[in-house]
């Protein structure tokens, strides 16, 4: 297909339908009848290479674009009470995991997210690590451990705790080095404070520094975008994530009048391509639409964990857990009042109550195929066809002929006999590719979800 035909075909598609970081999305989850026991859910599940995710639902400020499950600030005593509840949950979950078959329990990778985990004080971060290690049973110093932070909370004492406890990756949400753009995104910060935080991260000696940047901010130009990219590159980060701006309901920016969609899509695509090309020219490798990595960076992936097949244990009121048959979590909200209610309920929950799953979605064979294809195809490396055949018994073209044919017609698919992967233009449209693979049932559940 020629470049002209590709552009003409892809121009009719909305390139930024939604960011797909998990499938199915939590808006497709529903209360689970009977609240099934974790012991039963994890019975006979492979548990030798699990992922541990610990969620901290606190931030010092909520950015205008943010729809994550997080609350602003914490009244006196709330963070301590939250850690108490987290420990009760970790104890209950570990007891359930140990009480099932499927072999010994081992975590192959760990992450602290939120929210902002570094909202916690240094001593509270010590306790968070203790909970992950002593209650959940993860050996943080022997597996990749990623932690999210903001410039204002990346203090020397907090970073020292994380480095000492085995953090291998620190992700700093900078978003823009241009103060005016940061203010427009409702992310007020001074350039000097951001630079000071980056200096402290480097001084702490955490092996991998990731810097998050956002494109598509109102008033952002290619020149100002390149300015932020170069400011980030000056620190030679091992990773860079380039995120398109989304304006979602119930967020700060979501309360503003909508801009013309087509013009904004064009701006974001233009800035994405400029950013991608700039980082590739600087020697970075593209891992996905969003992720770029230095070739000489230390390996961050767990050798024996694959997100498509291995389970995840989530701790905290905003965390998800995955078995091969059920994805589950607690209730989900974006509105600040609703989030406060859910956090308060989590903090008050007795230990025995954590031994059951509350909200979730069952994963049948068809959804498992969709999830595997989606999570593999959105990576620049693509999906080995033999890997898919070995797991499911047939090929992806047999299971998804209409979807793959549509991608190929738009010039988004590089369809080799052994490897199925997106073309550069396909990667640019990852936020259209992902939603196109959602099942009709998941789409209907998401559409019926009542936002709160």
């Amino acid at each position: 297909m020629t470049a002209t035909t590709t552009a003409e075909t892809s121009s009719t598609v909305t390139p930024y339908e939604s960011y797909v970081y998990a499938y199915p999305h939590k808006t497709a989850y529903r209360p689970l009848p009977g609240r099934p026991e974790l012991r039963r859910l994890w019975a006979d599940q492979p548990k030798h290479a699990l992922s541990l995710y610990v969620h901290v639902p606190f931030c010092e400020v909520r950015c205008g674009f943010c729809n994550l499950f997080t609350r602003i600030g914490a009244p006196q005593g709330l963070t301590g009470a939250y850690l108490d509840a987290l420990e009760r949950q970790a104890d209950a979950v570990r007891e359930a995991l140990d009480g099932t078959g499927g072999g010994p329990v081992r975590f192959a990778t760990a992450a602290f997210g939120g929210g902002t985990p570094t909202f916690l004080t240094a001593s509270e971060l010590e306790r968070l690590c203790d909970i992950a290690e002593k209650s959940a049973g993860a050996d943080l110093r022997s597996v990749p451990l990623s932690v999210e932070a903001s410039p204002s909370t990346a203090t020397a004492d907090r970073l020292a705790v994380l480095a000492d406890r085995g953090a291998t990756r620190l992700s700093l949400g900078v978003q823009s080095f241009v103060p005016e753009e940061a203010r427009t995104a409702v992310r007020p910060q001074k350039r000097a404070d951001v630079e000071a935080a980056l200096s402290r991260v480097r001084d702490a000696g955490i092996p991998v520094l990731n810097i998050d940047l956002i494109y598509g901010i109102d008033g952002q130009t290619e020149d100002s975008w390149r300015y932020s990219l170069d400011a980030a590159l000056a620190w030679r980060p091992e990773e860079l994530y380039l995120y398109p701006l989304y304006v979602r309901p119930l967020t700060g920016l979501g309360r503003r009048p909508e801009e013309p969609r087509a013009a904004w899509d064009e701006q974001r695509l233009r800035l994405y391509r400029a950013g991608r090309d700039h980082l590739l020219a600087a020697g970075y490798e593209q891992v996905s639409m969003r992720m770029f990595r230095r070739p000489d960076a230390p390996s961050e992936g767990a050798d024996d964990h694959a997100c498509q097949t291995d389970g995840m244990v989530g701790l905290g009121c905003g965390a998800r857990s995955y078995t091969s048959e059920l994805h589950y979590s607690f209730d989900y909200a974006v509105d600040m009042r609703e989030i406060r209610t859910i956090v308060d309920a989590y903090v008050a929950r007795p230990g025995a109550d954590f031994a059951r799953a509350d909200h979730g979605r069952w994963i049948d064979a068809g959804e498992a195929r969709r999830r595997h294809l989606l999570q593999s195809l959105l990576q620049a490396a693509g999906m080995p066809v033999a890997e898919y055949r070995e797991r499911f018994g047939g090929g992806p073209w047999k299971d998804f002929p209409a979807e793959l044919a549509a991608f190929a017609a738009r010039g988004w698919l590089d369809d080799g006999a052994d490897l199925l992967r997106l073309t550069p233009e396909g990667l640019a449209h990852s936020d259209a590719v992902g939603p196109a693979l959602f099942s009709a049932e998941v789409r209907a559940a998401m559409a019926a979800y009542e936002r709160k």
Side-chain angles (χ1 to χ4, degrees):
M1 180 172 289
T2 66
T4 301
T5 306
T6 299
E8 290 172 351
T9 307
S10 63
S11 67
T12 63
V13 176
T14 301
Y16 299 103
E17 183 173 336
S18 68
Y19 170 26
V20 182
Y21 56 90
Y23 178 77
H25 190 267
K26 283 178 82 171
T27 54
Y29 292 11
R30 293 295 184 270
L32 294 168
R35 300 183 62 231
E37 292 183 342
L38 300 190
R39 187 186 298 265
R40 180 174 67 82
L41 294 176
W42 284 96
D44 301 322
Q45 292 283 318
K47 295 183 283 292
H48 65 282
L50 298 174
S51 174
L52 176 67
Y53 177 76
V54 184
H55 180 256
V56 179
F58 306 108
C59 287
E60 72 277 18
V61 64
R62 192 175 201 190
C63 303
F65 51 83
C66 177
N67 74 334
L68 298 179
F69 187 95
T70 185
R71 59 166 292 162
I72 302 170
Q76 182 68 31
L78 181 57
T79 54
Y82 184 82
L83 290 172
D84 290 342
L86 195 67
E87 186 170 5
R88 294 195 298 273
Q89 184 189 7
D91 287 338
V93 169
R94 183 66 198 215
E95 183 179 354
L97 291 174
D98 286 339
T100 62
V105 178
R106 173 183 167 272
F107 290 99
T109 181
F112 299 160
T116 308
T118 48
F119 179 92
L120 301 177
T121 65
S123 61
E124 288 171 334
L125 283 172
E126 286 276 16
R127 188 177 176 204
L128 184 71
C129 293
D130 284 343
I131 292 169
E133 290 189 331
K134 298 175 183 177
S135 295
D139 186 355
L140 298 182
R141 290 184 176 87
S142 68
V143 301
L145 170 60
S146 177
V147 183
E148 296 173 9
S150 66
S152 63
T153 61
T155 58
D157 59 340
R158 291 177 170 102
L159 294 170
V161 168
L162 295 175
D164 179 64
R165 298 303 292 265
T168 54
R169 178 180 183 270
L170 195 289
S171 181
L172 201 68
V174 174
Q175 319 313 350
S176 177
F177 283 86
V178 180
E180 294 80 9
E181 291 179 0
R183 284 195 296 271
T184 299
V186 196
R187 173 71 182 228
Q189 62 191 13
K190 296 179 180 178
R191 167 78 183 270
D193 294 337
V194 173
E195 299 283 355
L198 288 165
S199 180
R200 291 191 296 269
V201 175
R202 284 308 196 197
D203 289 344
I206 296 173
V208 173
L209 164 63
N210 173 69
I211 298 176
D212 288 345
L213 297 175
I214 284 181
Y215 56 92
I217 300 170
D218 188 30
Q220 192 176 44
T221 66
E222 285 192 44
D223 287 341
S224 68
W225 177 227
R226 191 174 297 109
Y227 177 87
S228 279
L229 291 166
D230 286 337
L233 287 171
W235 290 95
R236 299 199 72 243
E238 284 70 26
E239 293 178 1
L240 276 157
Y241 269 72
L242 309 185
Y243 289 95
L245 179 65
Y246 274 90
V247 175
R248 302 174 175 96
L250 304 181
T251 63
L253 292 180
R255 290 187 283 271
R256 298 181 178 183
E258 284 193 25
E259 299 290 331
R261 181 63 181 264
W264 191 29
D265 283 349
E266 194 278 331
Q267 180 209 20
R268 286 183 287 181
L269 271 175
R270 185 178 67 253
L271 294 175
Y272 160 78
R273 290 172 176 138
R276 173 198 63 194
D277 294 347
H278 197 63
L279 294 186
L280 292 177
Y284 282 72
E285 295 177 344
Q286 186 166 17
V287 179
S288 68
M289 171 186 165
R290 288 164 171 76
M291 181 182 176
F292 295 81
R293 188 170 172 83
R294 261 179 39 202
D296 61 342
S299 175
E300 263 300 284
D303 293 337
D304 57 349
H305 175 82
C307 64
Q308 295 93 333
T309 55
D310 292 315
M312 183 165 83
V313 173
L315 301 177
C317 59
R320 313 159 190 259
S321 296
Y322 304 146
T323 74
S324 63
E325 297 175 346
L326 179 71
H327 291 191
Y328 63 93
S329 67
F330 298 102
D331 201 2
Y332 172 71
V334 176
D335 179 77
M336 283 286 97
R337 289 170 296 181
E338 296 286 351
I339 289 174
R340 286 194 292 268
T341 299
I342 294 171
V343 172
D344 290 345
Y346 175 86
V347 166
R349 184 178 289 233
D353 215 32
F354 286 118
R356 293 177 176 270
D358 285 34
H359 292 71
R361 187 168 187 87
W362 294 99
I363 306 298
D364 61 19
E367 295 292 13
R369 286 177 169 82
R370 287 184 182 277
R371 181 171 182 263
H372 188 108
L373 177 62
L374 189 155
Q375 292 190 307
S376 302
L377 200 57
L378 295 185
Q379 301 297 308
M383 185 188 75
V385 174
E387 178 184 275
Y388 185 95
R389 288 185 181 277
E390 181 178 357
R391 183 179 179 191
F392 298 112
W397 275 96
K398 179 174 180 272
D399 293 335
F400 302 99
E403 293 94 332
L404 295 179
F407 299 157
R410 296 186 177 111
W412 294 354
L413 195 63
D414 182 4
D415 178 28
D418 301 322
L419 185 68
L420 196 66
R421 65 179 175 184
L422 297 178
T423 63
E425 192 63 14
L427 273 180
H429 287 78
S430 290
D431 287 4
V433 170
L437 291 171
F438 291 5
S439 70
E441 294 78 10
V442 165
R443 284 184 176 275
M446 292 174 67
Y449 174 77
E450 186 176 342
R451 293 190 181 100
K452 59 182 180 179

